[in-house]
Amino acid sequence: MFTNLKIDEIAPNPDQPRKFFDEARHEELAASIKENGLLQPVVVRPVEGEKAPYMLIAGERRWRACKAAGLEAVPAKVIEGTTDEEAYVLSIAENVNRQDMTIMEEAGAYADLKAAGWAPLKIAKQFGKTETHITWRLGLLTLRPEVAEMVEKGQIKNNLAWHIAQLNPANQMVAAMRYVRGDFDSEAEAQHFANGLKAMERQTSLTNETPPNAEEEEKRKKAKAKAKDGLGKAEEVLLPLLEELAEKKPEDLAAILGEDLARHMRVVARLHAKVQLVRNLLSKASGIQQAMAADFNKKAVEVQRESAAKKAEAAKTASAKPAAKPASGTRAAAKKTAPKPAPRKPAARSTATASKAPEKKAPAKAAEAATDK
């Protein structure tokens, strides 16, 4: 059913999958509506117990622009008997293929449906996507908020965002910040770096790896020498040859190669494919090498911090010890001096003896005096 509704009779859906509305486009649409009116009706459903009798299913951007343009009423399509889930699905369907819907908004919308019990395959069929597309989008929800914001702003491209989302939160920031500040020559190089970090996460520690035995070490040396020799030959022989051929004119090559031209074209095509393959492998190797360096540096910083913390704790303990010693010494001294009053008892006993001694000697003195008389 189509009808005209007052703008104040319509309320936006709080579960709207789109959260970001481009201000410039909003102003352009408002100006167009002010000039030409609203050409495409909004879609609403009746709701009970709310301030506004209708809630938007689709067309919030148009509804906002109509308010900005000063319209009092808008054409609307009213859908009766729609459940919350059905309304949400319709809202996603209206927005999911719009260019201005961000990838994180799309991922969040699919996540809401998954939380409601929808399998990725069902979501894919509902919106005309592949199951891989849905799973890939859902994988972005592991991004930490700072990195997700970079993706929302377009600082990090969608494909790279998925590779970064596979990392732990700390490494997500490492890969994202290095890409944003321009440390990589291409997005592919940044992806290889992220994959290298993922490989490092699978290992317990670079420093805890078991050292290679003599046989493995010899194999590594031979493989390294062979690779260096092969790349050296390509640089010394193949590169000068290709540079020489590149300087010739097409008509000269047609005359020089004659009937062998088609065969040489096939050879060069195979060579080009192999060069592309090797270039991709070397790029991946470079990403792993950079990731190893980043992982090693991170562990080195952790070791330094741990060492500094231990030194600070030791210094704190050492500074606390002198203050504690006098207290224990004082208590020990107090314990030692406490029994000292005991020796006073013998002194008391000697005094008593001294006072009794004259009494015992008195008869002797009296006898002497009697004798003298």
Side-chain angles (χ1 to χ4, degrees):
M1 179 180 71
F2 288 91
T3 185
N4 286 326
L5 296 175
K6 293 181 179 180
I7 284 186
D8 294 340
E9 292 179 321
I10 302 172
N13 183 359
D15 297 323
Q16 158 72 260
R18 286 181 63 194
K19 307 300 180 186
F20 174 76
F21 295 89
D22 185 87
E23 189 62 30
R25 292 188 178 184
H26 169 73
E27 292 176 359
E28 289 177 4
L29 182 58
S32 175
I33 289 174
K34 194 171 185 178
E35 186 69 26
N36 306 304
L38 181 63
L39 302 179
Q40 182 181 357
V42 298
V43 182
V44 300
R45 64 183 178 118
V47 289
E48 296 180 359
E50 302 290 341
K51 291 182 179 180
Y54 297 94
M55 183 175 290
L56 279 167
I57 294 177
E60 181 172 340
R61 181 169 169 264
R62 298 191 295 278
W63 175 77
R64 287 169 176 259
C66 286
K67 289 185 71 175
L71 271 65
E72 295 183 356
V74 293
K77 179 181 180 180
V78 181
I79 299 181
E80 303 279 352
T82 305
T83 65
D84 290 345
E85 184 174 302
E86 290 170 343
Y88 189 67
V89 170
L90 290 172
S91 180
I92 297 172
E94 198 238 358
N95 288 293
V96 75
N97 290 317
R98 289 184 178 273
Q99 188 176 2
D100 55 352
M101 185 181 193
T102 70
I103 189 172
M104 298 307 299
E105 289 175 341
E106 184 184 354
Y110 296 151
D112 288 340
L113 291 177
K114 186 180 178 182
W118 288 49
L121 181 58
K122 181 180 178 181
I123 298 173
K125 288 181 178 179
Q126 181 71 37
F127 302 109
K129 306 291 183 182
T130 65
E131 186 177 2
T132 302
H133 176 92
I134 303 300
T135 305
W136 191 85
R137 289 292 193 271
L138 290 172
L140 295 175
L141 297 175
T142 59
L143 288 171
R144 56 188 294 168
E146 302 94 329
V147 181
E149 186 177 354
M150 295 178 194
V151 177
E152 290 273 23
K153 293 179 178 179
Q155 295 174 306
I156 297 176
K157 295 182 180 179
N158 298 345
N159 195 39
L160 175 59
W162 185 87
H163 287 272
I164 294 177
Q166 309 312 304
L167 303 172
N168 64 39
N171 281 335
Q172 284 183 19
M173 283 303 295
V174 172
M177 292 304 297
R178 288 195 60 174
Y179 178 74
V180 169
R181 73 183 182 213
D183 287 358
F184 305 107
D185 293 333
S186 65
E187 184 180 353
E189 187 178 332
Q191 289 176 17
H192 294 156
F193 175 74
N195 293 337
L197 288 176
K198 187 63 180 177
M200 294 303 100
E201 290 179 6
R202 296 191 187 103
Q203 298 181 8
T204 54
S205 170
L206 291 175
T207 55
N208 291 337
E209 289 182 352
T210 306
N213 56 37
E215 184 179 353
E216 291 174 342
E217 186 65 29
E218 186 63 26
K219 284 182 179 179
R220 288 186 182 184
K221 286 182 179 179
K222 288 181 179 180
K224 181 178 180 180
K226 187 176 180 180
K228 290 180 71 176
D229 183 57
L231 291 172
K233 287 179 179 178
E235 186 178 4
E236 294 173 7
V237 179
L238 187 57
L239 190 58
L241 176 61
L242 293 175
E243 288 175 345
E244 183 182 348
L245 288 172
E247 292 175 356
K248 295 187 179 300
K249 296 179 180 180
E251 52 268 27
D252 293 336
L253 287 174
I256 294 170
L257 298 176
E259 295 178 355
D260 293 331
L261 178 59
R263 182 173 65 85
H264 287 303
M265 286 182 64
R266 289 194 296 272
V267 170
V268 171
R270 289 176 57 195
L271 183 62
H272 178 266
K274 294 296 181 184
V275 168
Q276 289 292 96
L277 176 62
V278 172
R279 185 181 184 280
N280 189 45
L281 287 172
L282 291 176
S283 180
K284 289 180 179 179
S286 176
I288 292 173
Q289 192 177 68
Q290 292 182 58
M292 289 173 66
D295 186 72
F296 181 83
N297 291 337
K298 183 174 69 174
K299 287 180 171 60
V301 170
E302 290 173 358
V303 169
Q304 290 175 354
R305 287 177 180 171
E306 185 178 349
S307 177
K310 286 181 178 179
K311 287 181 180 178
E313 185 65 26
K316 184 179 178 181
T317 305
S319 63
K321 282 181 178 178
K325 282 182 177 178
S328 59
T330 304
R331 287 194 297 270
K335 289 179 181 178
K336 290 179 181 178
T337 55
K340 281 185 178 180
R344 294 178 185 176
K345 291 181 181 179
R349 286 195 297 270
S350 62
T351 306
T353 304
S355 61
K356 289 178 181 178
E359 294 176 2
K360 289 179 181 179
K361 291 178 180 180
K365 289 180 179 179
E368 283 181 18
T371 303
D372 289 340
K373 287 180 179 180

